[in-house]
């Protein structure tokens, strides 16, 4: 599986390392034509305003909008996908909702269908203020959604690439495998 990792800014190296660990082939994406032939795409955490500015500058905004394979967005990647930005995910998101960098924290999250908690690393994390009917909540923190799925999109308000737990990336790669079976 060839998985693109948007590499204009943010934690793209950490996502690439996690994908490599799970047997996928990560490809750094900085230009629209680099999306061709990919089985999936990761939009990592970083700074969402910078992400959007650089995506526009490099012509990636429309290219990502038109990308039809599964997409994983984490932290700023979730913001990039929300209604107010690319409009690909039916959620409204508040940026930096848990506070500044010094208010960053880790928490154990209940992951749907799993007995073991999932460790979430929240760094200037966004908060999902509203999710549409078609959005499935896979994990919550204090009753608020932090891991969501809508069709081919998987999105987290936290940074799964900063722990040793591979389950979020495994969920994403499962969606990629499923999508490739449908195509064949």
């Amino acid at each position: 599986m060839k998985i693109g990792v948007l590499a204009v800014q943010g934690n793209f190296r950490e996502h690439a390392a996690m994908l490599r660990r799970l047997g996928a082939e990560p490809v750094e994406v900085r230009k629209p034509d680099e999306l061709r032939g990919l089985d999936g795409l990761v939009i990592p955490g970083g700074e969402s305003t910078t992400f959007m500015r650089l995506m526009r500058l490099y012509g990636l905004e429309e290219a990502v909008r038109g990308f039809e394979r599964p997409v994983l967005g984490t932290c700023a990647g979730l913001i990039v996908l929300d209604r107010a930005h690319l409009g690909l995910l039916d959620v409204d998101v508040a940026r930096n909702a848990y506070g500044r960098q010094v208010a960053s924290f880790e928490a154990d999250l209940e992951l749907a269908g799993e007995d073991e908690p999932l460790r979430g690393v929240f760094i200037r994390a966004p908060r999902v203020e509203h999710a549409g009917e078609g959005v499935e909540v896979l994990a919550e923190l204090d009753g608020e959604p932090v891991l969501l799925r809508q069709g081919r999109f998987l999105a987290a308000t936290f940074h799964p690439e900063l722990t040793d737990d591979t389950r979020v990336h495994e969920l994403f790669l499962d969606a990629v495998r499923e999508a490739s079976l449908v195509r064949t």
Side-chain angles (χ1 to χ4, degrees):
M1 283 183 290
K2 284 176 72 172
I3 306 296
V5 182
L6 200 59
V8 295
Q9 196 253 343
N11 289 354
F12 60 90
R13 288 180 190 88
E14 292 83 351
H15 279 286
M18 180 73 78
L19 292 165
R20 206 172 289 110
R21 180 174 160 198
L22 293 171
E25 179 187 341
V27 176
E28 292 183 7
V29 173
R30 292 183 181 86
K31 296 186 243 166
D33 62 325
E34 294 170 337
L35 289 169
R36 257 180 297 199
L38 297 177
D39 299 304
L41 177 66
V42 175
I43 304 175
E47 208 292 309
S48 60
T49 303
T50 303
F51 253 105
M52 290 305 297
R53 196 178 96 251
L54 291 172
M55 286 175 67
R56 242 177 252 114
L57 182 67
Y58 298 137
L60 282 162
E61 190 172 6
E62 288 308 313
V64 169
R65 235 188 225 115
F67 186 76
E68 296 179 348
R69 307 281 189 257
V71 176
L72 168 63
T74 62
C75 199
L78 162 63
I79 296 168
V80 166
L81 294 170
D82 78 1
R83 284 187 195 121
H85 294 87
L86 293 183
L88 296 170
L89 199 55
D90 191 14
V91 295
D92 293 313
V93 178
R95 296 174 64 232
N96 303 327
Y98 294 97
R100 303 170 65 89
Q101 187 87 18
V102 294
S104 300
F105 64 96
E106 293 185 25
D108 284 334
L109 311 169
E110 281 189 43
L111 182 59
E114 297 280 331
D115 293 331
E116 282 290 310
L118 175 69
R119 193 72 175 164
V121 177
F122 294 81
I123 302 170
R124 295 178 54 219
R127 177 178 270 135
V128 175
E129 293 184 320
H130 178 264
E133 278 187 37
V135 178
E136 177 185 7
V137 176
L138 302 177
E140 294 181 339
L141 175 64
D142 299 328
E144 294 187 16
V146 295
L147 181 62
L148 310 157
R149 179 170 42 206
Q150 180 185 351
R152 63 189 174 89
F153 296 98
L154 183 65
T157 63
F158 56 96
H159 291 271
E161 75 281 6
L162 296 181
T163 71
D164 288 331
D165 194 323
T166 60
R167 289 178 288 173
V168 171
H169 288 81
E170 287 173 30
L171 276 170
F172 172 62
L173 292 176
D174 287 346
V176 171
R177 279 186 207 92
E178 193 174 305
S180 64
L181 288 175
V182 169
R183 285 195 317 268
T184 57

